[in-house]
C-alpha cells in the first residue's frame, strides 16, 4: 500500500501520540523533581554529622547519604537531558505539522479549528495549538509553566543539593555537584531556544533583551555555585577573590567599612545564641548546639565507641554543649571548631587538627588527644582530668584554670601556652614548657571538693552511665590511697622550678611575643592558628602574659601580611573582621591585675 508522506491526518495522529508519551515523561520529571526537593530539604545538619541514610518519601527506601548527593544530581541531569530530547523531537514534528497544515488548509480560521484537535499537552499547545493559545496571556502562561519546570526548577534543585551538602565538607562531591549545574545550564541554553513556535511573540529587540536577562541569570548561578557556595579550606575558597556588596546605602561606598563579603553574608553568619542557628541565609559549617548524640546512655559503658568521625572534615563546626561521649575523632579536622561545654568524656581526638578550636568548659575526662594539633586552641576552664595529651601540639593554647589532674603530658608541646591557675595535681610526663605562662600553677588541688571523697566524686561520674569501667580504670591513679605513683610525676616543686627558670620581666614577654608571632605566621594551618592566638590574647588581656609592647610586636608582624602575604603566610584568608580585631588588639591598653 502506498504511503502518502504528506498525509495531514496521519501526521496529526503521530503528533498526538508523541505528545501523549511526552506528557507521561513530563509528569515523571515533575514528580522526580518534587521527590528530590523534599529529600534534599529533609536533610539536616544532624544527618550530615552522623551520616544518616536518606529515606525517600513514600517509597520508604534508605539510601547512603554521601552516595545520594552524588547520584541524585547526576540522575536529574540525565533525566533532564532525556526530557529535552523528547520535547525537541516533538517541536520538530510540530513545525512540520504547521508547514503541512498551511498547504492543506489555506484558510486561516479553518486552520485554528484543525489545531484544536491536537493533544492538550502544554508544550504542544504553545508549539502548534490555536493562535490564541500560542500568543497573548494564555501563551505566556504556558511558556511560563514550561520555563519553571524545564529551566528554573532543575537548576534550583541542583543548587539546593550543593548548599545542603556543603557543611559536610567533601570537596570532590561538591565539584561533582558544580559540574552538574554547569552541564544543566548548557543543556538549557541549547534546547530551550529550539522549543519555539514560528509565531513566537518574543522576537526582535524583546528577544535580545530576554537573552541578555537569561545570560545575566546564568552568570549569577555560575558565580553562586563556583565562588560563593564554598566551605572553608577548599581550593576555590583560598584562590578565587571575594565579591563585596555595600552594607549601607550611604553615598561614600568607597569606604571599606561600607562593604562586606557576599560570601560571608550568605554563608558565614555568626550563630544566634538563642536559636542556635546561623544568622546567615545558608551555612557552610555544621551547627549542632546543645544536641545529644548518645542513643542509649544506659548502654554507653558497655560500648567502646559511640560514633565514628575518624578523618572527617569538621572545620568551624559548632558543637557547643553537645553530648559526644566516647566519640572517635581520630585524625579529624576540627580547626576553628567550637566545642564549648561539650561532653567529650572518653572521646578520642588523637592526631585531630584542633587549631583555634574552642573547648572552654568542655568535659574531657578520660579523653585521648595524643598528638592532637591544638595550637592556639582555647581550653580555659576545661575539665581535662586523665586526658591523654602526649605529644599534643599545644603551642600558644589558652589553658587558663584548666583542670589537668592526672593529665598525660609526656612530650606535650606547651611552648608559649598560658597555664595560669591551671590545676595539675598528679599530672605527669615531660612537657616542653618554653615561654609558657606558669603563674599560679596548683599541683595540690584535687578534682573533688573538700567535703567529698575520691570515691564519691568517681561514683558520681560513673553512676551517670558515662564510661563506667573505662573511666574508673583511668582515674584510679587519682585515688590518694593508691600505692603506685606514675612515673615522671610533676609535683608542685617541678612547676615552681619550671616557672623560676623561665626568663623574667620584659625579656620573657618580648620572647613570648616573638614566639607567638612566628607561630601565627606559619602557613601550615592558616588562618586558624593565627586567628586563635590573637583571639586568646584578646580574651586574656593580661600584661604579665604580653604587655602593650609585646602585643604591638605580635600584631605588627601579623599586620605586615596584609600588604605582603609572603612575610606572614599564616594570616592568609583573614577576613575584614579579623584585620579590624587585630588592629584593635595592637592598640589595646592593658591594666595590671
Amino acid at each position: 500500500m502506498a504511503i502518502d508522506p504528506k498525509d495531514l491526518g496521519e501526521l496529526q495522529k503521530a503528533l498526538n501520540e508523541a505528545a501523549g508519551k511526552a506528557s507521561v515523561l513530563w509528569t515523571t520529571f515533575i514528580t522526580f523533581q518534587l521527590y528530590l526537593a523534599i529529600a534534599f530539604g529533609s536533610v539536616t545538619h544532624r544527618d550530615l554529622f552522623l551520616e544518616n541514610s536518606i529515606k525517600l518519601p513514600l517509597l520508604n527506601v534508605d539510601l547512603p547519604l554521601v552516595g545520594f548527593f552524588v547520584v541524585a544530581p547526576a540522575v536529574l541531569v540525565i533525566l533532564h537531558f532525556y526530557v529535552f530530547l523528547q520535547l525537541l523531537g516533538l517541536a520538530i514534528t510540530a513545525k512540520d505539522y504547521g508547514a503541512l497544515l498551511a498547504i492543506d488548509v489555506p484558510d486561516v480560521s479553518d486552520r485554528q479549528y484543525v489545531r484544536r484537535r491536537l493533544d492538550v499537552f502544554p508544550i504542544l499547545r504553545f508549539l502548534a495549538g490555536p493562535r490564541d493559545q500560542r500568543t497573548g496571556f494564555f501563551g505566556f502562561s504556558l511558556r511560563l509553566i514550561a520555563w519553571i519546570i524545564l529551566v528554573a526548577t532543575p537548576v534550583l534543585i541542583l543548587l539546593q543539593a550543593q548548599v545542603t551538602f556543603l557543611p559536610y565538607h567533601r570537596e570532590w562531591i561538591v565539584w561533582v555537584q558544580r559540574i552538574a549545574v554547569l552541564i544543566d545550564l548548557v543543556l538549557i541554553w541549547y534546547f530551550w531556544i529550539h522549543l519555539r513556535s514560528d509565531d513566537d511573540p518574543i522576537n526582535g529587540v524583546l528577544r535580545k533583551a530576554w537573552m541578555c536577562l537569561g545570560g545575566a541569570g546564568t552568570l549569577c548561578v555560575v558565580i553562586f555555585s563556583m565562588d560563593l557556595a564554598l566551605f572553608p579550606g577548599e581550593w576555590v575558597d583560598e584562590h578565587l577573590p571575594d565579591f563585596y556588596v555595600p552594607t549601607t546605602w550611604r553615598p561614600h561606598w568607597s569606604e571599606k567599612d561600607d562593604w562586606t563579603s557576599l560570601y560571608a553574608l550568605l554563608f558565614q553568619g555568626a550563630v544566634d545564641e538563642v536559636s542556635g542557628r546561623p544568622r546567615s541565609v545558608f551555612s557552610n559549617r555544621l551547627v549542632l548546639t546543645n544536641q545529644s548524640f548518645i542513643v542509649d546512655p544506659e548502654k554507653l559503658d558497655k560500648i567502646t565507641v559511640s560514633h565514628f568521625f575518624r578523618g572527617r572534615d569538621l572545620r568551624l563546626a559548632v558543637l557547643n554543649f553537645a553530648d559526644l561521649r566516647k566519640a572517635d575523632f581520630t585524625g579529624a579536622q576540627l580547626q576553628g571548631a567550637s566545642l564549648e561545654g561539650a561532653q567529650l568524656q572518653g572521646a578520642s581526638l588523637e592526631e585531630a587538627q584542633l587549631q583555634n578550636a574552642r573547648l572552654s568548659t568542655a568535659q574531657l575526662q578520660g579523653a585521648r588527644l595524643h598528638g592532637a594539633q591544638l595550637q592556639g586552641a582555647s581550653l580555659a576552664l576545661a575539665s581535662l582530668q586523665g586526658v591523654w595529651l602526649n605529644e599534643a601540639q599545644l603551642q600558644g593554647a589558652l589553658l587558663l584554670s584548666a583542670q589537668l589532674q592526672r593529665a598525660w603530658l609526656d612530650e606535650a608541646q606547651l611552648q608559649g601556652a598560658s597555664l595560669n591557675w591551671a590545676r595539675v595535681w598528679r599530672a605527669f610526663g615531660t612537657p616542653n614548657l618554653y615561654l609558657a605562662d606558669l603563674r599560679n600553677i596548683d599541683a595540690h588541688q584535687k578534682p573533688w571538693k573538700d567535703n567529698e571523697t575520691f570515691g564519691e566524686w568517681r561514683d558520681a561520674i560513673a553512676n551517670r552511665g558515662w564510661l563506667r569501667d573505662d573511666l574508673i580504670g583511668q582515674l584510679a591513679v587519682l585515688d590518694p590511697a593508691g600505692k603506685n605513683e606514675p612515673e615522671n610525676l610533676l609535683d608542685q616543686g617541678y612547676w615552681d622550678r619550671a616557672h623560676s627558670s623561665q626568663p623574667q620581666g620584659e625579656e620573657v614577654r618580648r620572647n613570648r611575643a616573638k614566639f607567638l608571632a612566628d607561630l601565627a605566621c606559619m602557613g601550615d594551618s592558616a588562618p586558624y592558628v593565627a586567628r586563635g592566638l590573637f583571639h586568646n590574647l584578646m580574651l586574656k588581656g593580661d600584661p604579665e602574659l604580653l604587655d602593650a609592647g609585646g602585643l604591638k610586636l605580635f600584631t605588627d608582624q601579623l599586620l605586615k601580611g596584609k600588604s605582603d602575604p609572603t612575610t606572614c603566610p599564616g594570616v592568609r584568608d583573614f577576613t575584614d573582621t579579623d584585620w579590624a580585631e587585630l588592629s584593635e588588639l595592637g592598640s589595646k591598653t592593658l591594666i595590671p591585675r
Side-chain angles (χ1 to χ4, degrees), residues 124-142:
L124 181 59
R125 281 286 163 167
F126 78 71
L127 286 174
R131 183 172 180 79
D132 63 327
Q133 295 181 9
R134 286 178 286 145
T135 59
F137 176 76
F138 200 100
F140 173 78
S141 300
L142 291 176

Side-chain angles (χ1 to χ4, degrees), residues 472-520:
I472 287 177
Q474 290 176 10
L475 298 182
V477 73
L478 286 167
D479 189 352
K483 297 180 180 180
N484 297 324
E485 294 286 358
E487 296 181 5
N488 300 321
L489 184 68
L490 307 178
D491 58 13
Q492 188 68 55
Y494 170 86
W495 295 103
D496 292 341
R497 289 190 299 272
H499 178 52
S500 61
S501 65
Q502 300 273 18
Q504 300 299 314
E506 185 178 348
E507 180 186 1
V508 68
R509 291 190 287 272
R510 177 166 292 276
N511 290 344
R512 186 179 289 137
K514 184 68 170 63
F515 173 81
L516 293 178
D518 290 341
L519 178 64

